[in-house]
Amino acid sequence: MQLGMVGLGRMGGNIVRRLLREGHSAVVFDRDPAAVAALVAAGAAGAASLEDFVARLDVPRAAWVMLPAGDPTEATVTELAGLMQAGDVVIDGGNSFYKDDIRRAAVLNERGLHYVDVGTSGGVWGLERGYCMMIGGHKEAVDRLDPIFAALAPGLGDVPRTPGREGRDPRAERGYIHAGPSGAGHFVKMIHNGIEYGLMQAYAEGFEILRHAGAQELPEAQRFDLNLGDIAEVWRRGSVVSSWLLDLTASALAGDEDLDAFSGHVADSGEGRWTLNAAIEEAVPAHVLSAALYARFRSRQGATYADKLLSAMRKGFGGHQEPK
């Protein structure tokens, strides 16, 4: 199946590479000609402009936008909508705000275009591990794109199957779901990222407590000189707190237990704030998630070891660099 990709950054480029590996074809466009050239060398067809990009796509077209949320995505979706025809699909795979998806879908639907929002998790590791996807949009469009989603998803892998799921949608255990109508995909991904904030903060604070277990202020009998790298490693193996985030923590600590390469200035990319806004609108308490977001705000006023560990995890899964 053919897919067009606009935006060939950390994730967009690797999504194309994974599709090419799985036998699909791709048309690619990016403002950086070098990024286009790299994908052309891997087997994709390159486009010199959005007009050229749309012209190279087979009808009915499927164009995936993988750009930063906000103005870059908004402008590109709007321009694509003006170039495409009824029956075509525009896919937003970035971290857009779900209410923007609902609005865009309504506008595109008036023109006979489909709009599909794909909350995409996998970061810089998605090329090898696959991408976990939470998809919103009309069933017709989502079903048509299923070969693309199936190729990008991790598949069953070696994750134990959950007892009692017999007869349910098999896509979930392969790593992707059709979450609901337009906006549902990014809504689910938004909450996913809000939870991510909380999990990361819990690890970060726990390891900071471990690091200060030898503080001189403590009674001598209560002081422990702990090896944090070994603790992270042992927790990875059979512990109830094992996770991919802990794997990344263990990797960071194995390289440098003091985390000197990190300032601890922890950014937030919007989803944590949006998650709390949703909680407020729904009158749902979210103590942990709100505290995790506020901890990121505080990190910009003076970083702690916990903040450095948050930065290390963010670089590990998403290639995120600390702000200068």
Side-chain angles (χ1 to χ4, degrees), residues 17-310:
R17 291 182 177 92
R18 185 170 174 91
L19 288 175
L20 293 174
R21 284 185 184 182
E22 296 295 321
H24 296 278
S25 62
V27 178
V28 298
F29 173 70
D30 192 280
R31 291 183 300 175
D32 180 3
V36 175
L39 268 299
V40 169
S49 66
L50 274 183
E51 291 85 352
D52 183 32
F53 170 80
V54 172
R56 290 173 179 267
L57 292 174
D58 298 334
V59 178
R61 303 173 183 86
W64 186 308
V65 178
M66 203 65 175
L67 295 170
D71 292 342
T73 294
E74 185 75 27
T76 303
V77 169
T78 299
E79 188 171 353
L80 280 173
L83 296 169
M84 298 174 79
Q85 300 173 347
D88 294 345
V89 183
V90 177
I91 307 157
D92 177 8
N95 281 325
S96 289
F97 185 39
Y98 75 99
K99 292 183 181 180
D100 289 336
D101 293 317
I102 296 170
R103 172 180 51 78
R104 290 177 193 144
V107 173
L108 268 62
N109 287 342
E110 290 179 356
R111 302 194 51 190
L113 299 172
H114 294 291
Y115 180 90
V116 173
D117 52 289
V118 181
T120 311
S121 182
V124 296
W125 297 89
L127 176 59
E128 301 301 331
R129 293 170 58 108
Y131 298 91
C132 173
M133 291 168 290
M134 298 134 269
I135 305 161
H138 288 162
K139 184 178 186 300
E140 173 191 344
V142 174
D143 288 350
R144 171 153 49 104
L145 294 167
D146 190 74
I148 295 295
F149 299 137
L152 292 175
L156 287 173
D158 58 1
V159 178
R161 302 184 80 164
T162 301
R165 280 198 56 86
E166 295 80 10
R168 292 174 176 261
D169 188 338
R171 292 176 293 185
E173 60 181 0
R174 295 173 189 160
Y176 67 110
I177 59 169
H178 182 194
S182 296
H186 277 147
F187 183 83
V188 175
K189 177 58 161 51
M190 176 184 77
I191 304 305
H192 164 284
N193 284 21
I195 292 170
E196 177 187 294
Y197 281 30
L199 292 173
M200 293 172 69
Q201 188 66 30
Y203 283 126
E205 292 177 8
F207 275 93
E208 179 146 35
I209 295 169
L210 293 169
R211 181 175 173 83
H212 288 280
Q216 293 299 311
E217 295 81 5
L218 295 170
E220 185 173 358
Q222 297 178 25
R223 297 177 201 159
F224 304 113
D225 183 14
L226 301 172
N227 187 311
L228 302 192
D230 284 355
I231 292 170
E233 187 63 31
V234 76
W235 282 356
R236 292 179 61 214
R237 304 181 181 278
S239 162
V240 296
V241 297
S242 59
S243 73
W244 186 25
L245 290 172
L246 185 60
D247 295 345
L248 297 171
T249 297
S251 179
L253 293 175
D256 174 18
E257 190 165 305
D258 291 329
L259 302 176
D260 288 332
F262 298 95
S263 71
H265 181 122
V266 186
D268 69 285
S269 52
E271 296 90 340
R273 302 184 191 210
W274 299 339
T275 296
L276 293 185
N277 287 340
I280 292 167
E281 290 176 356
E282 299 169 14
V284 173
H287 308 293
V288 171
L289 306 190
S290 60
L293 177 63
Y294 295 146
R296 294 193 176 200
F297 296 163
R298 188 214 42 75
S299 77
R300 300 162 205 172
Q301 301 170 357
T304 64
Y305 185 79
D307 299 326
K308 292 183 178 183
L309 197 60
L310 287 174

